[in-house]
Amino acid sequence: MKKYNIVYVSKYGFTKRYAMMVAEKLGVKAYTLKEAKKELGKAESIIFMAGLCNSRLNDLKKVQKKYDIKAVCAVGMSFYRETLPELIRIVNGFDEDFPVFYAQGGLDPKKVSKIERFLLNVSLAQYGQIQNPTEEDRKTLDMLGTAADYVSEEKLYPFYAYLLEDDSYLELLNKEDEQLDNEEKEDVL
């Protein structure tokens, strides 16, 4: 088992909720970056969890200067795609074999800054102009227009499988995917 304390940066609360879930599962502590500076030693091995802005982990450089990051779980509002962890790995300059995971958080329009609100409105307008939108496009459009909370422990299963060295979490995830596929087929019939 990979058992390291967690350092997290959470702007809207979604990453904090995930950090607390992981800390409880591993039996470790989760610290905000500010708390970690007081409680953890320099070069201590940690798990880093943070929100994303344009695929960049918030405050990564600060954390890298102070701690030995063993794994990362990024939290963002995008729906999961298999290519997303690799994109995050590349954009943030991690080595090819560095463990990077992703969990969808959400969006709370009341908490975003004016510039973020402007960018959301631009995205909303762009998605609204898509001809023949996919199901993911429609979900994204819905999310951009309202508050959305996608935090769920199931989104951490791949991260748990890695940290706990327990593939049963991946099996659970596969069962849930099969169940969703079956439900979608029933809806079509």
Side-chain angles (χ1 to χ4, degrees), residues 79-81 104 127 130-144 150 180 184 187-188:
F79 291 92
Y80 182 83
R81 297 182 311 276
Q104 185 181 20
Y127 271 99
I130 295 174
Q131 293 181 7
N132 304 318
T134 64
E135 182 62 26
E136 186 174 311
D137 292 334
R138 283 191 285 281
K139 287 180 181 178
T140 301
L141 188 57
D142 289 344
M143 178 179 55
L144 291 174
Y150 296 100
L180 286 173
E184 287 174 4
D187 288 344
V188 171

Side-chain angles (χ1 to χ4, degrees), residues 36-53:
K37 288 177 182 176
K38 296 175 188 171
E39 299 292 327
L40 301 178
K42 187 161 177 62
E44 187 162 334
S45 295
I46 63 154
I47 296 166
F48 182 52
M49 300 180 73
L52 294 170
C53 183

